[in-house]
Amino acid sequence: MLAVSNLTVNYGEVQAVDSISIKVKAGELVSITGANGAGKSSMLNAIAGICAVASGKIVFAGEDITGLRAHQIVKKGIVQVPEGRQLFATLTVRENLLAGRYSNSGFLLDKVIPDSLVQRFPALGERLDLLGSSLSGGQAQMLALARGLMNHPEVLLLDEPTLGLAPIAVKEVFDLIAELRDQGLTILVVEQNVRQALAISDYAYVLESGRIVMQGKGGELLNNSRLVESYLGAARAI
Amino acid sequence: MTDFLQNCIDGVMFGSGYALLALGFTLVFGVMKRLNLSFGPSIMLGAYAGTWVYLNFSQNALLIVLVTVITTVAVGIYVERLCFWAVRRDAAIASMVSSFAIWMQLEEVAMHLLPERTYPFPTFFTSTVIDIGPFFVRSEHISMFLLTLVLLALLHLFLFRTRPGLALRAVSDNPLASTYMGINSSNIFFLAFAVVSVLGGLAGFLILSADSQVTPFFGLWATFKGLIAMMLGGMGSLTGAILGGLLLGVVEANAFWYGGPLIRDISAYLLLFIMLIVRPGGLVGQRIVTQQQAAYERV
């Protein structure tokens, strides 16, 4: 469904992503892990049209979308839930959600939020007319995810969805991601929480200094001694 | 006391025009975080085009309103392309400086279009005095006030009930998040200028029609009044822009009554000076700045 070939992203002189190729099949949950500065978010931003592609090709559903701008890519059905949530602080929860449906709404705003979404995110349903800034960290992340789902995306890109969350909220987010995958949504997630990300992933890539250094099925990588030593050993010690 | 209240009524009526001018500055500043110094001169050129049609072709009120508004929008778009879109990746000061340069250009165009110092601007309001108890109100001021209320209501509906209105507020709040949502910021900046120019054109028409004359200095006057009203209310706040405009109108009306025209002009600057010292964020701006900072820290 989504194929990235030899993607390179530069920030001036610095090469953030170096000739990376990944594939995401329809209905699959693929995770990208790695240390800070490995190029994970840059790769996601390049797919979403937020940052420029230096070279390489991005193909979505058979169509070359390399170089398209962010609003054109959202219209194609690829929606990114950005790192740090990026909510609209001065808009209400309802308006934040409506902004997520911007590409598919008419001139007059339909302020009704679908029942299915309210049932999936009951905490948001109770706070629809409060400001986005009034939510707790976990609720804010749920709002970011719900906003991403408002547009009925074909591919959901998640950038560090559990960053800065309490353990109970982290579990909720991972449960939700697994549930969305089970319902057939194609998901590409960038995550530093390696163990939990691999546990729910169908396939995973490990990045180091802008390059893929390991890849395989999520369960297989969890038992990979090199990966355990590099990324999970420290986590176990903690 | 009666005099004071009468001045307040007059001030609110005329201050509604200032509120519209302040809204124009505030909308662009809120969305782009850049100041458009050509806003006043754009309105002036629109008014000159309306006057030119009035003097040479037709005295039809609707036609002159349309010419004024359409010219203001066209000039607004010209300013947006040259001073904002073209330098969108540069520092905000680039837009401010280039819009100041375009101001000079627009005044030159106006003076070539109609070279005399002053021209009559068509008066479409019936000028009568209406008694309300011990007070009286001029009918053209009531018309201007009511039309301003209608425009404010329409602007509110646009911002809160339509898709482009939501996009304007979203880009103003968080441009990066808007990009992730698929909102094309360039289109929204363009839209902001178009909306502001429509408001400005109508405001210019209402103010000049009540004043029944236009000079090339109207651009300078509109810029000063709009900027002062915006800063009194609080930069970036739509409610603040309206309150700032009304406050400026009330203070000027009282200053004129008790001190004459010179004191009226000085009172605007004195009021701004006091506000910047006592409450630098403006009437509601300080609260909004604090709320927004708290909000951004949370999300």
Side-chain angles (χ1 to χ4, degrees):
Chain A
M1 185 167 222
L2 181 68
V4 175
S5 318
N6 302 316
L7 179 73
T8 297
V9 176
N10 298 330
Y11 295 118
E13 302 277 303
V14 180
Q15 193 166 51
V17 176
D18 182 7
S19 199
I20 279 179
S21 298
I22 66 164
K23 275 187 181 164
V24 185
K25 293 178 191 160
E28 215 177 33
L29 169 55
V30 173
S31 60
I32 313 283
T33 63
N36 272 339
K40 311 184 294 293
S41 295
S42 300
M43 190 193 72
L44 225 52
N45 283 333
I47 294 171
I50 302 290
C51 67
V53 173
S55 64
K57 197 169 170 182
I58 303 166
V59 176
F60 170 62
E63 186 185 348
D64 187 352
I65 59 165
T66 319
L68 290 188
R69 294 178 63 195
H71 65 275
Q72 295 169 310
I73 288 175
V74 171
K75 260 211 170 322
K76 300 271 178 204
I78 300 177
V79 172
Q80 181 170 356
V81 177
E83 181 183 352
R85 301 186 275 272
Q86 296 287 349
L87 298 182
F88 299 108
T90 56
L91 268 56
T92 63
V93 170
R94 185 191 300 277
E95 288 169 338
N96 267 278
L97 291 169
L98 294 175
R101 196 166 62 191
Y102 175 79
S103 296
N104 284 321
S105 50
F107 180 77
L108 290 176
L109 275 184
D110 175 6
K111 292 201 169 188
V112 177
I113 305 299
D115 285 342
S116 56
L117 200 89
V118 173
Q119 282 160 11
R120 174 169 274 156
F121 301 97
L124 300 182
E126 294 161 8
R127 294 168 173 79
L128 284 176
D129 295 315
L130 298 179
L131 286 181
S133 55
S134 67
L135 303 181
S136 70
Q139 288 166 349
Q141 186 57 54
M142 287 301 175
L143 175 55
L145 283 163
R147 191 178 60 176
L149 294 173
M150 279 292 284
N151 209 28
H152 302 293
E154 289 187 48
V155 175
L156 189 64
L157 309 177
L158 302 176
D159 196 355
E160 305 279 13
T162 65
L163 190 72
L165 295 185
I168 190 160
V170 170
K171 184 181 178 310
E172 272 180 45
V173 170
F174 275 115
D175 287 348
L176 177 68
I177 294 170
E179 187 188 322
L180 290 171
R181 186 268 315 272
D182 293 343
Q183 288 173 358
L185 183 60
T186 307
I187 301 172
L188 177 61
V189 58
V190 159
E191 182 58 58
Q192 281 198 49
N193 199 329
V194 180
R195 185 186 305 280
Q196 281 168 291
L198 292 181
I200 61 166
S201 297
D202 297 302
Y203 202 83
Y205 297 87
V206 181
L207 263 61
E208 250 178 49
S209 305
R211 291 173 174 234
I212 294 172
V213 291
M214 249 181 278
Q215 59 179 289
K217 291 184 177 171
E220 288 173 8
L221 285 181
L222 261 179
N223 296 319
N224 182 303
S225 58
R226 195 179 139 215
L227 184 120
V228 169
E229 196 180 308
S230 304
Y231 295 98
L232 301 180
R236 277 176 183 162
I238 290 163
Chain B
M1 190 62 184
T2 309
D3 285 347
F4 175 74
L5 291 175
Q6 176 65 57
N7 293 335
C8 289
I9 292 170
D10 290 343
V12 165
M13 296 288 162
F14 209 75
S16 59
Y18 294 162
L20 282 180
L21 295 173
L23 276 174
F25 281 105
T26 300
L27 265 175
V28 167
F29 184 79
V31 171
M32 305 181 83
K33 307 291 179 278
R34 287 169 184 234
L35 201 55
N36 174 20
L37 288 179
S38 278
F39 181 51
S42 306
I43 302 171
M44 179 269 298
L45 197 55
Y48 259 63
T51 307
W52 186 72
V53 168
Y54 173 71
L55 294 174
N56 294 295
F57 295 104
S58 167
Q59 299 189 350
N60 181 298
L62 188 63
L63 178 69
I64 291 165
V65 174
L66 278 176
V67 169
T68 302
V69 172
I70 290 170
T71 308
T72 307
V73 171
V75 176
I77 288 168
Y78 171 72
V79 171
E80 192 270 339
R81 290 288 105 176
L82 270 181
C83 307
F84 291 82
W85 186 81
V87 294
R88 63 193 180 284
R89 290 192 177 87
D90 299 327
I93 192 80
S95 293
M96 202 168 87
V97 171
S98 49
S99 67
F100 183 72
I102 293 294
W103 175 343
M104 305 297 127
Q105 187 191 36
L106 298 179
E107 276 195 358
E108 277 298 311
V109 172
M111 283 190 277
H112 278 88
L113 190 68
L114 297 169
E116 300 293 328
R117 186 177 166 83
T118 305
Y119 284 91
F121 195 81
T123 303
F124 295 110
F125 300 125
T126 316
S127 188
T128 52
V129 175
I130 300 164
D131 292 324
I132 309 168
F135 307 110
F136 60 90
V137 187
R138 283 168 61 189
S139 60
E140 64 267 36
H141 282 176
I142 290 187
S143 306
M144 188 169 83
F145 182 67
L146 293 177
L147 283 169
T148 301
L149 288 184
V150 171
L151 284 175
L152 291 177
L154 288 174
L155 179 67
H156 186 270
L157 283 176
F158 173 76
L159 288 174
F160 289 87
R161 297 291 171 91
T162 70
R163 175 179 180 260
L166 175 69
L168 265 172
R169 289 163 55 223
V171 171
S172 171
D173 181 294
N174 187 337
L176 179 61
S178 307
T179 309
Y180 282 113
M181 296 304 102
I183 297 171
N184 185 346
S185 299
S186 294
N187 289 351
I188 298 304
F189 295 157
F190 187 85
L191 175 71
F193 260 83
V195 170
V196 156
S197 300
V198 170
L199 269 183
L202 290 170
F205 179 83
L206 291 174
I207 292 167
L208 292 169
S209 196
D211 208 27
S212 47
Q213 62 172 355
V214 61
T215 77
F217 298 111
F218 179 69
L220 178 72
W221 181 89
T223 302
F224 277 179
K225 299 298 180 190
L227 277 178
I228 291 173
M230 175 178 79
M231 294 181 76
L232 288 175
M235 290 177 82
S237 161
L238 296 179
T239 314
I242 297 166
L243 291 177
L246 297 182
L247 175 66
L248 181 61
V250 167
V251 169
E252 280 192 352
N254 277 291
F256 182 72
W257 179 258
Y258 294 112
L262 185 65
I263 298 297
R264 179 191 61 186
D265 291 341
I266 292 172
S267 70
Y269 302 109
L270 189 64
L271 177 65
L272 179 64
F273 179 74
I274 293 169
M275 184 66 80
L276 288 176
I277 288 176
V278 176
R279 202 175 164 81
L283 288 172
V284 296
Q286 191 74 59
R287 190 166 54 84
I288 283 178
V289 167
T290 313
Q291 273 182 359
Q292 279 185 345
Q293 277 170 350
Y296 289 131
E297 279 163 19
R298 285 182 72 88
V299 301

